[in-house]
């Protein structure tokens, strides 16, 4: 019986650690908005940020998603200067 309780405590501790790791992987609102801008990068970089955006969109407040979408639109309209700036900034963001 004692082994059963020990196993249950270990299983509970392991699941708590898994939840903590999953919580740490979630982007902050500011990072989420920046990732939305980074989605405009061409090629594999843009795809990588699109996947990160989709993974973090669920459960996000509507006003934050709206800001992220507006930031993406602004980045698309920014031209070559904005693309060069984003390429540098986005290289630092990837968690």
């Amino acid at each position: 019986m004692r082994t059963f309780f020990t196993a249950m405590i270990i299983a509970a501790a392991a699941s708590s650690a898994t939840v903590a790791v999953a919580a740490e992987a979630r982007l902050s609102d500011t990072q989420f908005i920046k990732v939305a801008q980074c989605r405009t990068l061409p090629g594999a970089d843009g795809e990588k940020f699109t996947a990160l955006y989709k993974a973090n969109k669920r459960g996000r407040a509507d006003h934050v998603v709206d800001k992220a979408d507006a930031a993406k639109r602004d980045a698309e309209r920014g031209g070559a200067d904005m693309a060069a700036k984003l390429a540098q900034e986005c290289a630092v963001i990837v968690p």
Side-chain angles (χ1 to χ4, degrees), residues 17-91:
T18 303
V19 171
V21 169
E24 290 175 3
R26 182 126 171 111
L27 298 174
S28 70
D29 290 344
T30 305
Q31 290 171 324
F32 179 74
I33 292 168
K34 183 54 77 176
V35 164
Q37 288 179 319
C38 295
R39 292 171 59 199
T40 63
L41 293 173
D45 287 336
E47 293 172 7
K48 173 177 55 177
F49 286 109
T50 298
L52 188 58
Y53 175 87
K54 287 179 181 179
N56 280 269
K57 184 176 178 182
R58 185 179 181 131
R60 190 76 58 177
D62 289 340
H63 71 279
V64 175
V65 174
D66 291 343
K67 280 186 177 183
D69 292 342
K72 180 180 180 272
R73 283 191 300 275
D74 291 344
E76 289 172 334
R77 296 179 192 143
D81 292 336
M82 177 63 104
K85 179 182 171 189
L86 279 176
Q88 291 176 347
E89 292 176 1
C90 294

